[in-house]
Amino acid sequence: MIKIQFSKYSGAGNDFVLIDSEINPNLILDPVIIQKLCDRRNGIGGDGILYIKNSDNYDYELEYYNSDGSLGTLCGNGSRCSIKYAYSAKKCKGNKTDFICRGVAYKGEVFEDGNVKFYLAPPEQIKLNYDINANNQVIKISSVDTGSLHAVIKIEEVLADPNDKNSFYTDINEVPVHTLGKEIRWLKIYEKGINVNFIQLKNDVIYIRTFERGVEDETFACGTGSTAAALISSLLYNFKSPVKLITLSGETLTVEFEYKENKFTNVALIGPAKEVFTGYIHL
């Protein structure tokens, strides 16, 4: 049996188990342990694991693991939670920090109101308005890699009844995110799978729901997904920075960016990140 000291963090409802390797020097994470930690009935519960390691050249190194035990790609809300932890644990000087995740360097800062800003790398693999086949219909989507690969689907592009050509969704709360998101997530055209975001645009605000690969379910918020939705909406629907998004949790995320000469720069994700509780668990 092993004893693990942890912190539970939430970033706009996206929740994580944070483990500091300096406090748990003998811990070796494996898929079984990760799944047990993220189990919402017999463990702590979380969408993933934030594993904080020491770094020679940065304030810290972040490893992110999905709740299914797999090593994850970039997690936007998880990164913001790690920034909040680094600030609280005095791993950085002042309110700004830099860290490395999967070989890429990132920066972030904590504001006086408790919100956290995370600076992402410029997006890659932008692909607009192409057709996929799912749920017995053709659905028009766009996709972009914001550190993780994301599909963005406007709900008005989806038929509630594939046999009724006028049954497009008009309320994001009625979209079957789990079943439809799961089907799209596993489409063979996406070699490593894809995260799936459904959006509804209302008065310059984006309402968003996300099916996350690795979690294999809908989450209450997704940072890289919200960033993807904001960038795609700027290209297709003329949204201007900063873009506000309302997540399933009801909390707001804000995405800032600059767009010049057909390129996005200075992309940042801003929103709440908080420590929910700390403790020990025996596995």
Side-chain angles (χ1 to χ4, degrees), residues 12-13 207-208 220-221 245-253:
Y207 289 78
I208 183 169
F220 276 75
L245 302 100
I246 306 297
T247 64
L248 180 63
S249 67
E251 297 196 68
T252 300
L253 291 172

Side-chain angles (χ1 to χ4, degrees), residues 73-220:
T73 50
L74 181 70
C75 178
N77 286 327
S79 294
R80 292 192 309 98
C81 287
S82 76
I83 293 165
K84 190 67 169 286
Y85 174 77
Y87 171 74
S88 301
K90 301 187 185 306
K91 291 182 177 291
C92 52
K93 295 179 180 179
N95 69 323
K96 296 183 178 181
T97 187
D98 60 4
F99 65 97
I100 189 166
C101 179
R102 300 197 69 170
V104 180
Y106 297 98
K107 294 182 179 181
E109 59 184 298
V110 180
F111 298 125
E112 290 184 1
D113 63 3
N115 281 337
V116 176
K117 186 174 187 177
F118 168 51
Y119 298 87
L120 294 83
E124 300 178 343
Q125 301 180 48
I126 299 174
K127 190 176 180 182
L128 302 177
N129 284 336
Y130 61 96
D131 293 337
I132 61 167
N133 291 291
N135 192 36
N136 298 313
Q137 61 183 287
V138 176
I139 300 173
K140 190 174 295 295
I141 76 170
S142 299
S143 57
V144 59
D145 189 330
T146 53
S148 293
L149 185 61
H150 283 272
V152 178
I153 304 171
K154 195 177 180 183
I155 64 167
E156 291 86 352
E157 299 288 347
V158 183
L159 295 171
D161 179 359
N163 296 315
D164 181 355
K165 301 304 180 182
N166 295 311
S167 64
F168 295 105
Y169 284 102
T170 58
D171 184 347
I172 196 168
N173 296 309
E174 296 179 356
V175 177
V177 172
H178 179 83
T179 55
L180 183 54
K182 183 177 181 179
E183 181 181 357
I184 296 171
R185 177 260 189 269
W186 289 105
L187 289 178
K188 292 182 179 180
I189 60 172
Y190 305 114
E191 182 180 353
K192 297 182 179 179
I194 195 167
N195 302 283
V196 187
N197 304 272
F198 298 91
I199 63 170
Q200 184 173 17
L201 313 180
K202 293 182 181 180
N203 301 322
D204 297 326
V205 174
I206 300 173
Y207 289 78
I208 183 169
R209 294 176 63 187
T210 304
F211 183 94
E212 286 198 55
R213 66 180 179 185
V215 180
E216 304 308 331
D217 204 349
E218 181 177 10
T219 55
F220 276 75

